[in-house]
Amino acid sequence: MAGIAATKFQTTRTLIRATWVSRVFAPNQLTPTHQVRFYSSSSDASKCGIEKLKKVSDEIKEKAASHTGYATSQSKEAAGKAENIAEKAKQSAQEAWDATKDTAQKVQRTVAEKAEESATAVKDNIEAAKRSFNNKK
């Protein structure tokens, strides 16, 4: 590659610069892969590591708390919906029971009336039969 120098960074693209062109084709932003820190002693490194662990654990706690809160709110919402459904089922059962009871009472009244009418008709027929028997004698 005469006249072209290539340099690779920790990105997905390669910088290419031709010697005869002043334009550089580069990615929009370089992303560092890691940072290297030098500590004066191992205790400083340990302190820094502990601080980072505390920070990460606090972030984990916050995320866990927010997820717990979300799960709690969802379960409360589901419980409310279940309670609402149970209330509607209870109301429907009560309405069905009332309708059944009303129907049974109507049937009872109707049967009683028909029985009374039938008893009256039987009595009338018996009296008519007695009269007819008495007239034949």
Side-chain angles (χ1 to χ4, degrees):
M1 292 211 280
I4 296 177
T7 307
K8 186 165 184 169
F9 291 92
Q10 296 293 329
T11 64
T12 56
R13 297 183 183 173
T14 304
L15 292 176
I16 301 174
R17 186 171 193 193
T19 54
W20 66 91
V21 179
S22 64
R23 194 178 254 183
V24 174
F25 300 96
N28 293 338
Q29 189 177 16
L30 295 176
T31 55
T33 56
H34 64 281
Q35 293 179 346
V36 178
R37 264 190 159 169
F38 296 102
Y39 296 98
S40 60
S41 68
S42 61
S43 65
D44 290 341
S46 298
K47 287 178 185 176
C48 183
I50 291 170
E51 288 175 9
K52 286 185 179 182
L53 284 174
K54 284 181 181 178
K55 183 179 176 184
V56 169
S57 68
D58 289 341
E59 290 175 5
I60 291 171
K61 284 180 188 176
E62 288 174 8
K63 287 183 181 181
S66 70
H67 289 300
T68 303
Y70 177 75
T72 302
S73 68
Q74 290 296 316
S75 63
K76 284 181 181 178
E77 184 178 327
K81 287 180 181 178
E83 186 176 313
N84 190 18
I85 290 170
E87 185 64 33
K88 286 181 180 180
K90 180 181 174 185
Q91 183 180 3
S92 296
Q94 185 64 40
E95 289 172 359
W97 173 251
D98 290 342
T100 304
K101 189 168 69 171
D102 290 344
T103 304
Q105 288 174 351
K106 287 179 185 176
V107 167
Q108 183 181 9
R109 275 187 253 128
T110 304
V111 168
E113 290 171 2
K114 295 289 181 181
E116 200 173 295
E117 289 174 9
S118 296
T120 306
V122 168
K123 286 180 186 176
D124 291 344
N125 287 338
I126 290 173
E127 288 178 16
K130 283 182 184 178
R131 279 190 301 251
S132 145
F133 184 71
N134 289 336
N135 287 339
K136 288 185 180 182
K137 283 187 184 180

